[in-house]
Amino acid sequence: MLISFRFSNYKSYKDETIFTTVCGDLKDLEENFSQIQNYKLLKSSIFIGANGSGKSNLIQAVQKFQAILQNSINIEKQKSYPHEPFFLDEKTKEKATFFEIEFFLDEIYYRYNFKIEKDATISEEYLEEKEPNKNKR
């Protein structure tokens, strides 16, 4: 189950942007969230915003992340990943684009992130895995 997706320096997004399914102290509508370990997560979410506010670019960031993951088995074959930095600032063209996802799979927490450098290579790839804490149950 998705916890969060974050990215920065991608298309119309300069600064770090976080999409999260963590729901604070929501007491009503308990059927709309799941409790996994210490996380209360929404089962569904929607994007709302004015035309031109970046909804499509957020979806495209998720799609780009997904495409890179799907091709990760052949990462040696595909050594080039198009760098699409924030386009309204010349300085950001020199900086990497960052992607990160946090999720649970079979109650194991995962966090995976990487950067796409200006030369279209992936750098600083990182995967964290944490087994559930059996003592807290």
Side-chain angles (χ1 to χ4, degrees):
M1 178 167 241
L2 179 68
I3 300 169
S4 69
F5 177 73
R6 70 181 69 214
F7 63 99
S8 62
N9 195 28
Y10 180 73
K11 293 192 173 187
S12 60
Y13 290 89
K14 180 179 181 180
D15 299 321
E16 183 178 74
T17 300
I18 303 170
F19 170 74
T20 182
T21 62
V22 176
C23 58
D25 293 327
L26 185 65
K27 303 268 191 260
D28 297 332
L29 303 172
E30 289 188 14
E31 65 275 7
N32 290 327
F33 62 83
S34 295
Q35 185 77 36
I36 302 177
Q37 295 183 30
N38 294 329
Y39 291 85
K40 190 188 305 186
L41 304 171
L42 294 170
K43 292 180 180 178
S44 63
S45 299
I46 59 172
F47 302 120
I48 299 173
N51 290 343
S53 63
K55 297 180 301 294
S56 294
N57 286 343
L58 188 147
I59 298 296
Q60 288 172 12
V62 172
Q63 290 171 334
K64 183 173 188 91
F65 183 89
Q66 180 182 15
I68 289 170
L69 283 181
Q70 287 174 335
N71 291 321
S72 66
I73 294 172
N74 298 319
I75 204 161
E76 289 302 316
K77 291 180 184 175
Q78 183 174 342
K79 294 186 178 188
S80 179
Y81 298 89
H83 183 237
E84 299 174 88
F86 178 70
F87 48 71
L88 297 176
D89 185 345
E90 289 296 316
K91 294 176 186 172
T92 59
K93 290 180 181 177
E94 301 298 314
K95 295 182 180 177
T97 298
F98 174 78
F99 293 100
E100 178 178 272
I101 191 168
E102 292 178 288
F103 62 95
F104 282 105
L105 181 61
D106 297 327
E107 294 207 18
I108 299 173
Y109 168 89
Y110 293 91
R111 180 168 56 120
Y112 176 66
N113 61 48
F114 58 85
K115 291 182 178 181
I116 301 176
E117 299 294 335
K118 69 176 185 172
D119 65 358
T121 60
I122 290 184
S123 70
E124 298 184 34
E125 187 176 20
Y126 176 79
L127 174 64
E128 175 184 10
E129 175 184 339
K130 290 184 183 176
E131 293 286 335
N133 187 343
K134 303 286 186 196
N135 297 330
K136 290 188 176 182
R137 294 189 176 213

